[in-house]
Amino acid sequence: MLGVKTRSQTGSPAVKKGPRANGNGSIRPDSRAAVVDDVHENIFLFYPNLIGYSRIVLAVASLYYMPLHPRTCSLLYSVSCLLDALDGMAARRFDQSTRFGAVLDMVTDRCTTACLLVFLSSAWPRWSLLFQGLISLDLASHYMHMYATLAMGGTGQSHKKVDESRSWILNLYYSNNVVLFLICGLNELFFIAVYLLSFSSPILSPSLLQPLPNSPGSSAQPGNPSHPSASSLFASPYSAGALEMARANKMDSFWPWVIAGVSFPVMAAKQFIHVVQLVKASKWLAEGDREARRAARAKKR
């Protein structure tokens, strides 16, 4: 019997084991095969998401400098916006596109823009209703669009995949990365320019302090030798009046006016896209409601 070799001793390949049977005859899957397929990935540490976290840090830092330091705030805010394009490139480069990353990106965009518009509402009180309306339109249109995509298109469909038959404008806006980047970038650039104008332009931001009565030529404005100190005028250095006085004449208004003039048409176009997005999402949800009610009535018959 020494000449007889067992299967483990021969050079023949071992038979691949399949699912094992339990004592009651049911199939028990091989746990070792499941372990091989179960590769743990930390979605939160994907490169695009790390870039997204850095965007949040830069945005918070820009908000800290926003009341009195326009150049520092504008630099930090602009870098945060530019990283919005970099995280998308990283997602495609490393094959790390995730639903969490897409939502993180969109929420960061909405929050940073809303925070800037909130500041503009306080810097331009006469235009506060307009800025509040822009915040509401931005949030409402994106929420309705996301909800309609999930409810009608399914959980696996991205909010950026809009069929051309539903809206060619939204299809062009979301499918063309160059168009998306230019429209979003110039939209943010317009609001940054308006923010800078609050530190420079007496046309849009009239003086809080009027000339002193019965004193021709005298004024309580900074730069006038007879103007009093801010502490004698305002109880709190962080009040709206004190902050406006501190912002007065901090920078030249030429370039902010140029930037605002160039980017205004694109900003207006983006607001129109928001309206289209809101209307289309509402109609899509209404179509789903009609189908659901029609199906419910058919079951009752």
Side-chain angles (χ1 to χ4, degrees):
M1 297 298 294
L2 293 177
V4 179
K5 295 184 179 180
T6 63
R7 179 178 299 166
S8 61
Q9 295 172 326
T10 61
S12 60
V15 178
K16 184 178 179 180
K17 295 182 179 180
R20 300 177 181 177
N22 292 325
N24 58 3
S26 60
I27 300 299
R28 178 163 55 92
D30 193 344
S31 60
R32 290 175 298 179
V35 172
V36 174
D37 295 334
D38 185 18
V39 179
H40 179 71
E41 291 183 310
N42 193 337
I43 303 297
F44 299 108
L45 296 181
F46 276 12
Y47 294 124
N49 298 335
L50 293 177
I51 296 174
Y53 306 147
S54 66
R55 289 188 62 204
I56 296 174
V57 173
L58 290 170
V60 172
S62 71
L63 296 178
Y64 175 79
Y65 289 105
M66 189 171 285
L68 295 175
H69 303 280
R71 294 175 179 84
T72 303
C73 169
S74 299
L75 176 62
L76 293 172
Y77 191 93
S78 299
V79 173
S80 176
C81 292
L82 289 174
L83 289 178
D84 188 17
L86 184 60
D87 63 1
M89 295 172 59
R92 292 185 291 270
R93 171 65 178 81
F94 298 102
D95 192 23
Q96 292 183 342
S97 299
T98 59
R99 282 174 288 188
F100 169 76
V103 174
L104 176 67
D105 183 58
M106 190 187 73
V107 170
T108 303
D109 291 339
R110 305 285 72 75
C111 291
T112 51
T113 303
C115 289
L116 178 57
L117 291 175
V118 166
F119 178 84
L120 295 181
S121 296
S122 64
W124 313 103
R126 61 171 62 184
W127 303 102
S128 60
L129 184 61
L130 174 62
F131 292 125
Q132 291 166 4
L134 293 177
I135 294 173
S136 301
L137 177 61
D138 188 21
L139 296 178
S141 65
H142 281 86
Y143 179 83
M144 289 285 285
H145 180 66
M146 284 287 292
Y147 189 87
T149 302
L150 292 174
M152 305 300 297
T155 57
Q157 182 171 337
S158 170
H159 70 283
K160 292 186 176 182
K161 293 182 179 179
V162 180
D163 190 79
E164 189 174 0
S165 61
R166 185 167 295 278
S167 173
W168 68 268
I169 295 179
L170 294 180
N171 176 267
L172 175 64
Y173 176 70
Y174 280 118
S175 63
N176 192 313
N177 291 328
V178 176
V179 173
L180 181 64
F181 175 77
L182 289 177
I183 291 179
C184 292
L186 290 173
N187 176 73
E188 296 296 335
L189 197 60
F190 172 81
F191 292 125
I192 292 174
V194 175
Y195 161 72
L196 293 176
L197 285 172
S198 70
F199 291 86
S200 57
S201 177
I203 298 176
L204 291 179
S205 183
S207 174
L208 177 69
L209 301 175
Q210 301 300 320
L212 298 175
N214 303 324
S215 301
S218 64
S219 171
Q221 290 304 309
N224 190 299
S226 63
H227 84 277
S229 62
S231 59
S232 65
L233 292 172
F234 306 103
S236 171
Y238 298 102
S239 65
L243 290 176
E244 182 172 344
M245 184 175 179
R247 289 197 302 267
N249 302 319
K250 267 204 157 188
M251 60 188 305
D252 183 73
S253 63
F254 175 76
W255 285 112
W257 272 115
V258 171
I259 295 173
V262 171
S263 57
F264 174 78
V266 180
M267 183 279 299
K270 191 172 192 300
Q271 307 315 311
F272 176 74
I273 291 174
H274 288 169
V275 174
V276 173
Q277 184 171 249
L278 181 63
V279 172
K280 294 295 183 180
S282 301
K283 289 183 177 180
W284 199 8
L285 288 172
E287 290 175 8
D289 290 335
R290 284 193 294 268
E291 291 296 331
R293 292 175 63 84
R294 187 179 297 110
R297 287 193 298 267
K299 289 183 179 180
K300 293 179 181 179
R301 295 175 182 174

